[in-house]
Amino acid sequence: MTESTKTATLSFDGKTLELPMFTPTAGPDVIDIRKLYAQGHVFTYDPGFTSTASCDSTITFIDGDEGVLLHRGYPIDQLAGKSHFLEVCYLLLYGELPSAAELEKFETTITRHTMIHEQMHNFFRGFRRDAHPMAIMVGVVGAMAAFYHDSTDVSDPHQREVASHRLIAKMPTIAAMAYKYSVGQPFVYPRNDLDYAANFLHMCFSVPAEEYHVNPILSRAMDRIFTLHADHEQNASTSTVRLASSSGANPFACIAAGIACLWGPAHGGANQACLEMLREIGTVDRIPEFIARAKDKNDPFRLMGFGHRVYKNTDPRAKVLKQSADEVLELLGVEDNPLLQVAKELEKTALNDPYFKEKKLFPNVDFYSGIILEAMGFPTSMFTPIFALSRTVGWVSQWKEMIGDPQNKIGRPRQLYLGETARDYVDVENR
């Protein structure tokens, strides 16, 4: 970010203020309003912060109009197609792709941190069996601060590093344990001979009664889901992590806050909403009816998993994940799963319909991740925990960047107050 020679002129109530502007390496210029209140005694009003840059960052860049998503400058389709999740984790954390030696050391470090403290098993058993896995993850991740005291001092760079590794390494174990607990099966410990994605699938689907072999096609699809959800700029949950961390809270509390925010159906529940829509459609013969409803402006029905709030073109993550979806469905088949039959036919119909082409309502990453996870055998209640698992590295990277920023200060948004002005208290007998 460099200060531009340009300035923005703001005129109001007979005052004129010259506000400095910054020019980013990519994206629109930014007006610096930090001294707006001091100089003009006014605030800006921006519900949802849709026109406000809350920070500067070097991690992720999105151009929704052009369908671009870059991590440290690398296009997401190249990373998802040629790299793997832990290499992308290293890139997000440290800014550059690792050498072979650096990657091997990083993978070893993450692998050696995958087990959780044995006493933490008691936390899981304190929840009801029908507890949502996200409720369990919020509680257990927050409780990590009670077990790992040597990585809670945010002012210590070494402790921040250890906390980062622990969170990335232990999140698959915690998510898998939440799943196992919900289905009444024994916990499965992580294995150091498996890669990150294969290890997660093993912990979710293996049982002590028989040997379980992770299919490489499923493992690769899982790895791509992780990679494609690793970070997404200053979204709601990332902003929550940054706001929590601005107070100096420990990293485990900050990530737990991010998980809680992601739990909301408007954020992390999009692929679950997509599967629920497919269930509502029910059978292939009803697809024309729902396509017609989606085109009807007076019908509240929305075609979930198509189009994207950010991407006004194609979702750059969807093309890569479509390849994995095709591979997974070919491997596992759709003949015995009516929901997947509906998904495949709906995809075909939408991709060939002039209306959807004109409106750029293409299948997005949530559509493909939803049908992959369904095909693998995950219940919809696990979709958002898997999203949280994937996004942890993004949250951690953003948290580390913020803590290391000399401009870091506690977040304190302003408001447009519309309540009563000062008035005197009236005794209860006189009201």
Side-chain angles (χ1 to χ4, degrees), residues 138-161:
V138 170
V140 174
V141 172
M144 289 174 71
F147 289 86
Y148 302 107
H149 303 295
D150 60 342
S151 54
T152 56
D153 183 356
V154 298
S155 64
D156 184 338
H158 174 70
Q159 291 201 28
R160 294 202 298 268
E161 190 80 353

Side-chain angles (χ1 to χ4, degrees), residues 290-398:
F290 283 86
I291 290 287
R293 290 183 61 189
K295 296 177 182 179
D296 186 351
K297 294 180 180 180
N298 298 318
D299 194 314
F301 173 77
R302 289 182 57 210
L303 205 59
M304 305 302 295
F306 291 79
H308 196 278
R309 177 185 173 186
V310 173
Y311 300 109
K312 306 310 177 188
N313 204 309
T314 56
D315 184 337
R317 303 167 296 174
K319 182 179 178 181
V320 180
L321 206 55
K322 171 177 167 51
Q323 179 185 343
S324 283
D326 291 340
E327 292 171 354
V328 169
L329 294 186
E330 182 180 354
L331 173 70
L332 301 177
V334 299
E335 295 80 9
D336 298 326
N337 191 324
L339 188 146
L340 295 179
Q341 292 175 17
V342 170
K344 289 297 290 182
E345 188 61 30
L346 182 62
E347 175 199 34
K348 180 181 176 181
T349 301
L351 288 175
N352 291 288
D353 190 300
Y355 175 86
F356 290 96
K357 288 181 178 179
E358 179 187 347
K359 300 289 186 181
K360 299 187 184 300
L361 294 175
F362 305 110
N364 60 32
V365 70
D366 299 310
F367 179 82
Y368 291 118
S369 64
I371 64 176
I372 288 173
L373 295 175
E374 166 71 19
M376 286 181 176
F378 285 105
T380 52
S381 62
M382 275 298 294
F383 288 8
T384 316
I386 290 171
F387 193 162
L389 187 173
S390 311
R391 184 56 56 83
T392 295
V393 65
W395 292 331
V396 168
S397 299
Q398 300 273 352

Side-chain angles (χ1 to χ4, degrees), residues 17 79 100 110 153 165 227 232 305 338 360 370 378-379 397 405 408:
L17 299 179
L79 293 174
I110 297 301
D153 183 356
H165 293 160
T227 299
H232 212 236
K360 299 187 184 300
F378 285 105
S397 299
D405 185 354
N408 178 29

Side-chain angles (χ1 to χ4, degrees), residues 417 419-425:
Y417 179 70
E420 298 287 347
T421 54
R423 49 184 174 172
D424 292 327
Y425 178 84

